[in-house]
Amino acid sequence: MAKTLINLALLYLFLFSLIVAPTKADSFSRNLSPKTLGLKREKLSHLHFYFHDTLSGENPTAVPVAQAAMTNKSSTSFGLVVMIDNPLTVKPEVNSEQVGRAQGIYASASQSEVSFLMAFNLFFTEGKYNGSTLSLLGRNSIFSGIREMPIVGGSGLFRFARGYAKAKTYMVNLKTNDAIVEYNVYVFHY
């Protein structure tokens, strides 16, 4: 009798595990230890560079690609979309050491102030971060002193990155709209 009860209990547990525990074939997600992906202790890094946004001249790095019918009538250029491939340098001079590129778009997203939706990758081309990227997505009210925008991800050495970027206008030419922006980026990564 006791042996029969044990066998029934084991059978019940086996059948219950088939019903409750998903198998790999029918599972959408599962929990992993960071170690299974080779991830070690998380680090906090500070990156400092200058972003050169050049709309003028023979070789612009920021090019308007779309605008709304009313954009030219708007005091904020609402609806303007600009594609960028801007150099990132160690110093404010455009011919100083280049450490990467900012590649993506920004768009005028406010009707009441000059404020951009920024969506771009910081692609690093020098040093230990060569080939790695950080993805930035946020609001940039360009005439504010210091603007803060989130870092929402990354690749390479910045896999699983999260953090924020502080942007401060170093120089702007109001005739050409060319600008140099100082960036301080604080990012957690593995």
Side-chain angles (χ1 to χ4, degrees), residues 13-34:
L13 286 173
F14 173 74
L15 292 173
F16 182 76
S17 70
L18 290 176
I19 294 168
V20 174
T23 64
K24 284 185 180 180
D26 61 9
S27 175
F28 172 71
S29 66
R30 61 189 171 128
N31 292 329
L32 293 175
S33 165

Side-chain angles (χ1 to χ4, degrees), residues 35-46:
K35 291 178 184 176
T36 62
L37 295 176
L39 302 175
K40 297 184 174 127
R41 194 168 153 238
E42 194 173 40
K43 301 174 211 112
L44 174 63
S45 294
H46 171 228

Side-chain angles (χ1 to χ4, degrees), residues 140-152:
N140 184 358
S141 181
I142 65 169
F143 291 118
S144 297
I146 297 177
R147 291 89 67 193
E148 208 173 280
M149 294 166 279
I151 298 296
V152 297

Side-chain angles (χ1 to χ4, degrees), residues 109-131:
S110 175
Q111 295 184 53
S112 60
E113 67 174 309
V114 181
S115 181
F116 294 139
L117 161 68
M118 310 291 281
F120 59 81
N121 290 314
L122 300 167
F123 172 61
F124 297 98
T125 57
E126 293 297 323
K128 72 178 183 176
Y129 299 123
N130 184 15

Side-chain angles (χ1 to χ4, degrees), residues 8 29 70 76 102-103 105 140 146 163 167 180 186:
L8 281 174
S29 66
M70 55 85 67
T76 65
Q103 298 172 327
I105 63 168
N140 184 358
I146 297 177
I180 301 170
Y186 301 90

Side-chain angles (χ1 to χ4, degrees), residues 39 56 62 84 99 157 161 172-173 179 186:
L39 302 175
S56 68
I84 64 169
V99 294
L157 291 179
V172 64
N173 180 326
Y186 301 90

